[in-house]
Amino acid sequence: ALPVYLIGAAAILPWGLSFTADNIWRFLTHDIVPYPLRAAPAETGETLARLNEWLQTMLFEQALPGAAITIQLTMIALVCSGLLTLLFFPLISPLLLGRSARTLGHTCLVIIRSTPEYILAYVLLQLWGPSMLPAIVALALHNGGIIGHLVGRYTEAITLRVDACRGIRRYAYEILPRVYRQMLALLFYRWEVIMRETAILGILGISTLGFYIDSAFADLRFDRAVFLILVTALLNIAVDIISRQIRARLRLQTRMERQ
């Protein structure tokens, strides 16, 4: 089926668009070069002073404030995703619910995790106005639905004793302790993804790094946009490294251990 999809994708591409080497060369050698370096020729000292001023403006007025909001929003969304996972995974666990209830739970989780977080955030933005709340709720629902589905599937590999307790005690004392490490591993695994999604949600007006990147593109200041994209990439790389180290130190793994 993959070759068919590739042929279909190639067939619907807008081949009428034209690209010129001159525009590409101008973009790479002029548009993305910091403005002080491509402005009118000046003495080296004056050029360096302008470049230093440009860097300070980008760092202290856009990059650092945007990164701070991005990290803050990411951490809140990460914690909320974990809390929602605790509520979502019992919906599809055969050890906690019957077949009819699990069918309804599967349907709800499919809808939640299949709806893009950008769509959720946009809808909530129309209801609640521009703030962090729509982004937090959208990210938490989407990622909580994904992790909740995976953790719920993990419970299918758990075998309980015949005399195991039931109800809320089964959830709290039998199931949750056995899947908690896998849940943490998945949360840390999704941490970098949540960070990237948080930055992108800036296009909806939330003052994350994505907000400043979108503003730079809107003003045709490609040098600023590229600088902020590099900052975003470095931030995501740092989060990914920290996540890997935490998972390795705590010996967290996403596969189910023998029960």
Side-chain angles (χ1 to χ4, degrees), residues 157-179:
I158 298 176
T159 301
L160 299 179
R161 291 171 39 171
V162 178
D163 59 345
C165 54
R166 297 183 177 277
I168 189 64
R169 289 183 299 173
R170 170 176 289 193
Y171 168 79
Y173 299 117
E174 293 282 353
I175 308 300
L176 184 56
R178 303 190 189 196
V179 299

Side-chain angles (χ1 to χ4, degrees), residues 5 42 50 54 62 71 83 86 94 108 119 123 137 142 144-145 164-165 180-181 194 219 221 223 225 237 257:
Y5 292 145
R50 291 178 179 176
W54 183 86
Q62 297 191 18
I71 294 172
L83 295 176
L86 297 177
C108 292
I119 300 299
V123 172
V137 173
H142 182 75
C165 54
Y180 190 70
R181 291 177 60 83
I194 294 175
D219 295 336
R221 296 181 175 180
D223 54 338
I237 292 172
E257 299 173 352

Side-chain angles (χ1 to χ4, degrees), residues 13-28:
L13 283 176
W15 294 104
L17 296 178
S18 60
F19 299 93
T20 63
D22 292 339
N23 289 337
I24 297 175
W25 180 252
R26 174 183 172 83
F27 177 78
L28 295 176

Side-chain angles (χ1 to χ4, degrees), residues 90-94 97-111 113 149 156:
L91 299 178
I92 63 172
S93 174
L97 296 177
R99 178 175 298 179
S100 299
R102 293 203 311 275
T103 300
L104 180 60
H106 272 293
T107 303
C108 292
L109 289 187
V110 166
I111 295 174
R113 72 176 188 269
H149 168 76
E156 297 175 0

